[in-house]
Amino acid sequence: MRPGAPGVPGAGKAPKPSTRPRSGSIAVFTELDARKLGPVRRYFVRHPVVMDWFVAAWFTVPGLLTTLLPPEHARYGVAAATLAGGAVLLWRRRNPLLTAAVIGVLAVLTIALSGDSAGFELAVAFAIYAVATTYRPAVAWSVLGALVLTVCAAEMIWYDFAVSESGAIVRAEVGSGEVTGARVAAVAITLTFALLGIAIGSSVRGRRQHVADLVGRANAIARDRDQQAQLAAAAERARISREMHDVVAHSLTVMVALADGAKALGAKDPELAGQALDELTETGRAALADMRRVLGVLRDPDGSVAPLSPTADVPTMEDIAERFRHAGLPVRLVRVGVQPDPDPGLRQAAHRIVQESLTNVLRYAPLTPMVVVEIARRDAGAPDGGDWLEITVTNKAGRAPGGTARDGADARPLPAGIAGDQPIGTGRGIIGMRERAAVYGGTVTAGPTGSGWEVVARLRLDRTGSDQASRPDGGTGVAL
């Protein structure tokens, strides 16, 4: 470029848009969300090809105009080099290093042919800007050094334009390597444009990295939020599944026993058969109410999984024991020590554990002469610390699960409707009991004992958030 010719350095800023999601992830936020851009800049960010053509035209149009000015030496060669330089700048995003190298070669050829840079200082600035926005500073400064040294050396050797006393631009008779004011000015302009290009490019690169980091963190937080919501939904579905299992396994087992018992007693004792049918009806209604409650919270109106909250109308332990007695299972309820008054969630967990244990006894050990349900409380002075509710369900010697009546056991007739060859279960009931106990920091163990089968559940009372004081001084007012 001739000294004094118009040109604006560093203006080739074409920020790389990060509007596409990263591969294999869901991009909730993009660079456009993090940056406050006006309509013009937003348009160029969304359409980078338009920006590339704008930059190429910014260099090509003024360069072609300089070929119309006198002197006319190598006019067509300079025009061809300018058009080639504009075409190369269209590829600056795809391969910045190759673009810088080609621009350097075209600049040297233009200076050697015409004795003038013809605006290639601006092309050099655009090329260095592209390198600085793409590569680390060490690479950018190395490219700047090589490109500036090459172009400036060509200007010191072949640049021979000067301004006459009348103000006209003429070619001066100067030797190769001779230091003149015009050559020094040309070198200064090239160096200034190159430094502006690398300064603006480095700044844009730093800003892009900062924005990309912010966008990445925002997307990570959004993904973590979605994953937490999915985990919560899965946990809630597991709770609903446990509730459905308890309702179906417990209620249907009792209802089958009551129905077959009423059928067997219909001719012999109509009054007892009627009582069994009444109990069957009551059990069915309770099961329907439980199923409506569970199914009613599966989905909210907006389609999300609704939480399954414990109800306050959980039957008492006496009601549970009485229902199994009507089904033909000899249940004895024993309370040891001061009884706690837990919150509805823990109370429901305790009742479900007892229901599941008694249901398993009714299905797999119907010959047991006695089932003892013991509810005890360990106060804070216990060796392991804490305040615990301990539930023990023990069925005495009877039919072993999957086998026949135990030898020497006080065998009794099978309850009506209960077959003697019930298959062993899948173990999901015990898994469900353990999951319920784990919510309250407790454990459930189940296995054979010397006199039958025993289930022991321990639930921590001081982690439920309620006042676990004994009645009548505190509590919720609902007995366990």
Side-chain angles (χ1 to χ4, degrees), residues 194-477:
L195 291 176
L196 286 175
I198 196 172
I200 297 175
S202 300
S203 175
V204 170
R205 173 181 167 83
R207 185 201 65 207
R208 286 177 180 171
Q209 290 179 336
H210 178 67
V211 172
D213 183 61
L214 293 178
V215 170
R217 292 183 182 181
N219 286 331
I221 293 173
R223 287 192 295 269
D224 182 68
R225 177 198 61 200
D226 293 340
Q227 290 173 358
Q228 292 297 328
Q230 292 173 2
L231 291 175
E236 196 60 34
R237 291 190 185 98
R239 291 186 58 197
I240 293 172
S241 176
R242 290 197 302 268
E243 289 292 325
M244 292 296 295
H245 171 271
D246 291 341
V247 170
V248 173
H250 160 67
S251 300
L252 291 185
T253 300
V254 174
M255 289 171 66
V256 169
L258 290 171
D260 289 342
K263 180 179 179 180
L265 295 173
K268 299 178 182 179
D269 194 337
E271 183 177 354
L272 286 179
Q275 293 178 2
L277 289 176
D278 292 340
E279 187 65 26
L280 172 63
T281 302
E282 184 64 27
T283 302
R285 288 173 178 168
L288 283 176
D290 285 343
M291 291 189 70
R292 288 193 189 100
R293 179 179 64 88
V294 173
L295 297 177
V297 300
L298 280 175
R299 293 287 175 184
D300 271 343
D302 61 355
S304 60
V305 177
L308 181 63
S309 302
T311 58
D313 56 347
V314 179
T316 63
M317 289 292 185
E318 284 76 9
D319 294 335
I320 297 174
E322 187 64 26
R323 183 171 297 174
F324 278 94
R325 292 191 192 105
H326 283 294
L329 197 64
V331 180
R332 179 184 176 188
L333 180 63
V334 178
R335 296 182 182 271
V336 179
V338 179
Q339 294 296 290
D341 183 12
D343 64 9
L346 189 145
R347 186 170 63 254
Q348 179 170 316
H351 290 186
R352 291 300 192 193
I353 290 173
V354 172
Q355 282 183 345
E356 178 67 27
S357 302
L358 294 179
T359 299
N360 289 339
V361 174
L362 183 60
R363 292 180 64 187
Y364 308 124
L367 291 180
T368 179
M370 178 63 65
V371 181
V372 178
V373 179
E374 182 180 291
I375 301 175
R377 180 181 184 181
R378 288 189 178 184
D379 59 21
D384 53 356
D387 196 5
W388 297 87
L389 173 67
E390 187 172 275
I391 302 172
T392 306
V393 180
T394 307
N395 62 295
K396 303 300 182 180
R399 185 182 70 85
T404 58
R406 294 180 186 273
D407 296 335
D410 250 351
R412 60 183 180 83
L414 284 172
I418 300 296
D421 57 350
Q422 292 287 336
I424 299 299
T426 61
R428 293 174 182 166
I430 295 178
I431 294 175
M433 289 191 290
R434 286 173 177 163
E435 290 175 348
R436 290 182 183 277
V439 174
Y440 296 92
T443 58
V444 172
T445 58
T449 62
S451 58
W453 188 274
E454 184 177 72
V455 176
V456 180
R458 301 180 75 242
L459 309 177
R460 188 147 189 171
L461 293 169
D462 53 3
R463 289 187 180 177
T464 63
S466 62
D467 181 9
Q468 301 299 340
S470 60
R471 296 288 299 153
D473 300 328
T476 62

